[in-house]
């Protein structure tokens, strides 16, 4: 007999049919005569109710049916008398495929804290919350590929091991096969990387952008979607040491095209979630509402689905960094020194408290900031004629702060070369990148979207550790 997945079983109205369902027990309750088992197989957030008549035979089996146990059930599909579900299964035969001893199984049918579940990340997929997040994550992954594919962008696989620091921020994980107990040194006491695996220093990538640019300067429209590693020691609810980034790059376009593409993409994927993930979103929305009730402050966040629709409704606000600094300098929290980092003037790097003030308090919608000071941005951004700003664009979202960072790229060889020199970036690591500006250079642009930041926004979860299955953060490498 073929197994029916619970998702399609719940939509079936073929009452009287014999079905095979397999899944894991969420709860079991009942009386002397009848037992009700809520079974879930992950195909949907919803459980199917299995009704079991208790007799001598089934009583022995039911003893082994505890939360977390895996079952294979053959029974009759019947119309449900109870509210909440249309169908249920009257069991004829139950086989316990895998027991879960209730004295040992950590996930009992009660509310567990997210902190507790992080310690049980090998099992947390089995909770409704993490099942919902996993299904949404899959759908968002798919929607992003679909968005770009439908618009003629080609997916490029950029390397994970690299010799260059794309962001120039020096926050790289080193990759080596050298014996750490006996590191070879050069005559002047430096590590002798000539003896290492690649014959030179190697790192995990912080961005696929530079390689995406090479591809864009031949294929016109490309994107990468890969793992990204940053050894920045920031233990915040928005930073991971290993995260996934989507980086489109296109030739023959400028910063306005870049902003339009990013805004379209964000709206597309949020719209996709509303169309295809509604059951999971509704669950997460209720979950968030419960959580809000138990909060001590009276600051309330917007209902999840309303918040997603809200972003779709209006165009994002676009303004320059300089205009944003003016707003922030004149803002109440800055004047009253309520910001942790008070803005003293033009040139300040914006912290997430400033970004969130602009989005949540001042404009009350997503904001795109452009034309940042060149000295707080990466070397590859197109220099403006004013000599002090670059054609950068960051998209700021409620609750998140920066969700997208991008720019038009400097396509002029001399200007790029001078910037690389100015910033002390070793030319021998960048020769290939510079050559693209010598041969057939064109205006081009791109951006990076942090996939987990998008997931935070869409699920309404508040800690980035809860939207990736196995988070990597400082001092944390379990599983
Ligand atoms: O602003 P970033 O550093 O930009 C780049 O890496 C460019 N190369 C992108 C490009 O133009 N192709 O990072 C882009 C985005 C951020 O806006 C943020 O959403 C996310 O990546 N991000 C992180 N997400 C989780 N944990 C971290 N440590 C992150 N650092 C950046
Ligand atoms: Mg950035």
């Amino acid at each position: 007999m073929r197994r029916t997945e619970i998702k399609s079983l719940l939509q079936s109205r073929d009452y009287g049919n014999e079905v095979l369902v397999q899944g894991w027990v969420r709860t079991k309750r009942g009386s002397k005569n009848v037992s009700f088992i809520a079974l879930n197989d992950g195909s949907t957030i919803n459980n199917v109710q299995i009704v079991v008549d208790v007799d001598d035979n089934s009583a022995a089996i039911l003893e082994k049916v505890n939360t977390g146990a895996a079952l294979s059930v053959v029974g009759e599909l019947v119309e449900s008398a109870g509210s909440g579900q249309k169908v249920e299964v009257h069991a004829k035969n139950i086989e316990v495929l895998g027991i879960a001893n209730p004295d040992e199984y950590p996930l009992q049918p009660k509310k567990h804290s997210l902190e507790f579940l992080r310690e049980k990340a090998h099992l947390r997929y089995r909770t409704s919350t993490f099942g919902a997040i996993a299904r949404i994550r899959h759908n968002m992954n798919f929607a992003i590929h679909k968005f770009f594919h439908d618009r003629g962008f080609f997916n490029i696989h950029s390397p994970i091991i690299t010799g260059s620091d794309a962001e120039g921020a020096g926050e790289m994980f080193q990759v080596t096969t050298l014996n750490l107990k006996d590191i070879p040194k050069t005559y002047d006491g430096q590590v002798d990387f000539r003896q290492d695996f690649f014959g030179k220093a190697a790192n995990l990538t912080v961005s696929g952008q530079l390689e995406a640019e090479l591809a864009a300067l031949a294929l016109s429209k490309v994107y990468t979607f890969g793992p990204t590693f940053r050894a920045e020691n920031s233990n915040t609810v928005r930073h991971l040491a290993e995260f996934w980034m989507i980086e489109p790059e296109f030739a023959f376009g400028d910063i306005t095209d870049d902003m339009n593409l990013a805004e379209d993409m964000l709206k597309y994927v949020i719209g996709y979630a509303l169309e295809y993930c509604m059951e999971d979103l509704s669950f997460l929305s209720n979950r968030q509402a419960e959580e809000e009730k138990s909060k001590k402050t009276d600051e309330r966040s917007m209902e999840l689905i309303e918040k997603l629709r809200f972003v779709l409704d209006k165009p994002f606000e676009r303004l320059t960094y300089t205009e944003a600094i003016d707003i922030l300098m004149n803002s109440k929290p800055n004047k009253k020194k309520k910001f942790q980092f008070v803005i003293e003037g033009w040139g300040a790097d914006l912290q997430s408290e400033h970004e969130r003030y602009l989005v949540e308090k001042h404009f009350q919608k997503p904001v795109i900031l452009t034309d940042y000071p060149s000295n707080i941005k990466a070397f590859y951004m197109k220099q403006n004629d004013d000599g002090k700003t670059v054609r950068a664009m960051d998209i700021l979202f409620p609750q998140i702060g920066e969700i997208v960072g991008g720019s038009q790229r400097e396509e002029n060889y001399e200007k790029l070369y001078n910037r690389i020199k100015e910033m002390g970036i070793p030319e021998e690591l960048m020769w290939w990148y510079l050559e693209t500006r010598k041969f057939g250079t064109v205006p081009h642009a791109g951006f990076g979207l942090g996939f987990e930041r998008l997931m935070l926004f869409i699920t309404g979860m508040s800690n980035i550790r809860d939207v990736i299955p196995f988070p990597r953060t400082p001092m944390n490498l379990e599983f």
Side-chain angles (χ1 to χ4, degrees):
M1 206 176 172
R2 264 181 73 151
R3 161 178 176 239
T4 308
E5 287 183 16
I6 291 172
K7 185 179 168 140
S8 56
L9 192 78
L10 293 173
Q11 281 154 8
S12 166
R13 297 292 174 265
D14 297 330
Y15 305 127
N17 270 11
E18 193 169 78
V19 293
L20 167 66
V21 270
Q22 297 177 313
W24 293 269
V25 177
R26 285 295 169 85
T27 58
K28 181 183 70 173
R29 61 187 176 84
S31 63
K32 219 158 72 250
N33 304 320
V34 59
S35 202
F36 301 100
I37 302 165
L39 200 69
N40 187 282
D41 67 1
S43 59
T44 160
I45 191 150
N46 298 308
N47 305 324
V48 66
Q49 172 155 284
I50 311 289
V51 184
V52 193
D53 294 325
V54 182
D55 54 32
D56 290 351
N57 190 11
S58 64
I61 293 171
L62 281 167
E63 257 179 45
K64 290 191 272 177
V65 176
N66 295 304
T67 296
L71 307 185
S72 188
V73 179
V74 174
E76 184 187 339
L77 188 72
V78 297
E79 189 167 4
S80 179
S83 63
Q85 70 268 331
K86 290 272 193 300
V87 301
E88 58 192 30
V89 173
H90 279 198
K92 288 181 187 153
N93 183 50
I94 297 183
E95 188 190 341
V96 179
L97 298 176
I99 59 160
N101 183 341
D103 297 332
E104 294 173 46
Y105 187 57
L107 304 183
Q108 291 307 315
K110 60 164 195 172
K111 202 169 156 46
H112 295 292
S113 75
L114 295 171
E115 289 78 10
F116 172 81
L117 291 172
R118 261 170 239 149
E119 288 165 16
K120 309 286 176 207
H122 58 308
L123 298 169
R124 68 178 179 172
Y125 274 126
R126 301 178 182 201
T127 63
S128 297
T129 301
F130 288 93
I133 293 168
R135 283 183 295 271
I136 295 172
R137 196 176 156 111
H138 160 79
N139 276 282
M140 292 301 90
N141 182 68
F142 181 76
I144 285 162
H145 283 295
K146 184 164 166 51
F147 174 85
F148 287 114
H149 175 80
D150 288 352
R151 284 157 189 76
F153 282 73
F154 300 111
N155 184 204
I156 298 294
H157 292 131
S158 47
I160 289 167
I161 301 176
T162 167
S164 63
D165 181 356
E167 290 304 295
E171 290 158 340
M172 307 188 83
F173 286 100
Q174 299 176 32
V175 177
T176 181
T177 53
L178 289 178
N179 179 0
L180 296 184
K181 291 192 197 113
D182 182 19
I183 298 173
K185 296 279 173 68
T186 58
Y187 67 92
D188 57 350
Q190 305 290 315
V191 178
D192 188 4
F193 284 111
R194 285 173 308 181
Q195 297 186 45
D196 203 351
F197 190 90
F198 297 104
K200 62 197 278 194
N203 304 297
L204 293 178
T205 182
V206 292
S207 160
Q209 177 195 323
L210 303 190
E211 290 85 1
E213 280 187 55
L214 311 182
L217 292 169
L219 296 160
S220 287
K221 295 193 289 187
V222 301
Y223 70 105
T224 68
F225 190 162
T228 309
F229 307 88
R230 295 203 181 168
E232 50 192 333
N233 204 348
S234 33
N235 229 326
T236 79
V237 294
R238 281 180 287 277
H239 288 87
L240 290 165
E242 176 182 294
F243 62 101
W244 290 71
M245 184 149 57
I246 296 99
E247 295 186 276
E249 193 71 32
F250 54 92
F252 314 109
D254 62 11
I255 191 173
T256 306
D257 301 314
D258 205 28
M259 290 191 277
N260 293 344
L261 180 71
E263 183 168 344
D264 286 352
M265 178 203 60
L266 287 166
K267 287 180 170 169
Y268 177 86
V269 298
I270 292 166
Y272 193 95
L274 287 168
E275 192 168 346
Y276 295 101
C277 305
M278 213 43 182
E279 280 179 347
D280 288 322
L281 287 176
S282 301
F283 173 85
L284 291 175
S285 165
N286 291 335
R287 189 189 167 282
Q288 183 181 299
E290 287 295 312
E291 203 114 293
E292 296 269 307
K293 269 192 232 154
S294 58
K295 260 198 218 159
K296 300 219 166 50
T297 66
D298 39 45
E299 242 190 59
R300 292 274 168 269
S301 39
M302 200 187 264
E303 190 275 323
L304 180 63
I305 291 160
E306 190 189 335
K307 180 189 84 177
L308 298 180
R309 293 222 168 93
F310 175 80
V311 168
L312 294 189
D313 284 349
K314 302 179 202 162
F316 297 177
E317 186 73 31
R318 299 180 183 193
L319 68 156
T320 64
Y321 165 90
T322 304
E323 290 165 327
I325 286 289
D326 277 345
I327 294 169
L328 288 167
M329 293 277 285
N330 290 315
S331 71
K332 254 196 209 152
N334 205 61
K335 285 182 169 162
K336 294 192 168 165
K337 303 209 183 318
K338 284 274 159 60
F339 283 138
Q340 199 191 335
F341 297 90
V342 175
I343 303 268
E344 309 280 4
W346 197 90
D349 203 354
L350 301 185
Q351 306 295 324
S352 85
E353 55 179 343
H354 309 126
E355 297 171 338
R356 292 184 61 178
Y357 174 84
L358 291 170
V359 173
E360 291 165 26
K361 297 278 186 312
H362 192 84
F363 291 109
Q364 302 193 330
K365 56 173 149 165
V367 169
I368 313 186
L369 289 190
T370 60
D371 303 286
Y372 282 73
S374 51
N375 59 350
I376 57 170
K377 288 291 182 190
F379 69 92
Y380 50 69
M381 297 189 180
K382 185 168 175 64
Q383 297 157 33
N384 281 322
D385 293 337
D386 63 10
K388 55 178 194 174
T389 60
V390 286
R391 235 162 268 181
M393 68 105 181
D394 277 9
I395 303 189
L396 316 179
F397 256 39
Q399 175 211 347
I400 312 293
E402 180 192 334
I403 194 166
V404 161
S407 71
Q408 188 171 335
R409 317 307 187 188
E410 183 54 77
E411 85 271 21
N412 178 286
Y413 180 86
E414 305 298 329
K415 286 187 182 167
L416 184 63
Y417 181 83
N418 291 338
R419 190 74 187 133
I420 283 178
K421 284 275 143 195
E422 246 171 60
M423 295 180 79
I425 300 168
E427 198 187 324
E428 66 272 17
L429 295 181
M430 283 295 159
W431 64 272
W432 46 273
Y433 185 71
L434 279 161
E435 275 202 356
T436 58
R437 274 60 170 176
K438 269 208 238 170
F439 310 129
T441 188
V442 295
H444 63 287
F447 64 82
L449 165 70
F451 189 50
E452 285 74 20
R453 299 239 176 127
L454 173 72
M455 281 297 298
L456 272 181
F457 182 73
I458 289 185
T459 59
M461 300 300 287
S462 44
N463 192 320
I464 201 161
R465 292 165 180 78
D466 295 329
V467 295
I468 187 165
F470 304 104
R472 271 74 177 100
T473 50
M475 305 311 286
N476 173 27
L477 186 63
E478 198 65 54
F479 311 107

